Amino acid sequence: MLQTGPIGGGLAALVGVFLAVSLFYAVTLHLAATFFLGEVPSQRAAYVGPVPAAVSILLGRYGMESVGILSQELGVVVVLVTTLLADAMAIAKVYGISRRATAGLTLLHFAFATVLGFALANLLGFA
């Protein structure tokens, strides 16, 4: 069930979360790409950001509770691996780089997103 809040529940909350998570992934990818590839247009990160955002939001339930034969711990692994694969495919398509560079940029993006995510969670009092 979707949570309710100041903007209400349902579709408005889902769109708001999707846009916020897409922006977060786009910013962290642009930081990682600038560090890894050098100067790159920020629009490329904006094209990629919605892909891991959609996958992680759609599969988020699997990391929160047991679903079918998946335990909560295994669900987290499924969400993480699927999100990383979707991110890698989108990065390869948009940036047009080799598989090795795609793997490196994807892992660096994961590292940037993890560090910035923990920092923001602590700053905003979610952790």
Side-chain angles (χ1 to χ4, degrees), residues 17-66:
V17 168
F18 175 73
L19 290 175
V21 174
S22 294
L23 178 65
F24 174 78
Y25 278 130
V27 168
T28 55
L29 177 59
H30 183 63
L31 291 172
T34 301
F35 181 78
F36 190 72
L37 300 172
E39 194 62 35
V40 291
S42 59
Q43 290 87 352
R44 291 183 180 173
Y47 296 143
V48 174
V51 174
V55 172
S56 62
I57 288 171
L58 290 173
L59 296 179
R61 177 175 173 221
Y62 294 104
M64 302 299 287
E65 59 188 46
S66 303

Side-chain angles (χ1 to χ4, degrees), residues 30-124:
H30 183 63
L31 291 172
T34 301
F35 181 78
F36 190 72
L37 300 172
E39 194 62 35
V40 291
S42 59
Q43 290 87 352
R44 291 183 180 173
Y47 296 143
V48 174
V51 174
V55 172
S56 62
I57 288 171
L58 290 173
L59 296 179
R61 177 175 173 221
Y62 294 104
M64 302 299 287
E65 59 188 46
S66 303
V67 178
I69 61 169
L70 292 178
S71 66
Q72 181 180 359
E73 293 81 16
L74 186 57
V76 170
V77 173
V78 168
V79 172
L80 180 64
V81 169
T82 307
T83 303
L84 284 174
L85 286 174
D87 194 26
M89 288 189 294
I91 287 171
K93 175 85 171 147
V94 171
Y95 284 89
I97 54 179
S98 69
R99 288 184 183 182
R100 179 172 282 187
T102 297
L105 182 54
T106 302
L107 292 177
L108 190 60
H109 180 216
F110 174 70
F112 274 54
T114 301
V115 169
L116 189 58
F118 278 125
L120 286 174
N122 284 326
L123 185 66
L124 299 174

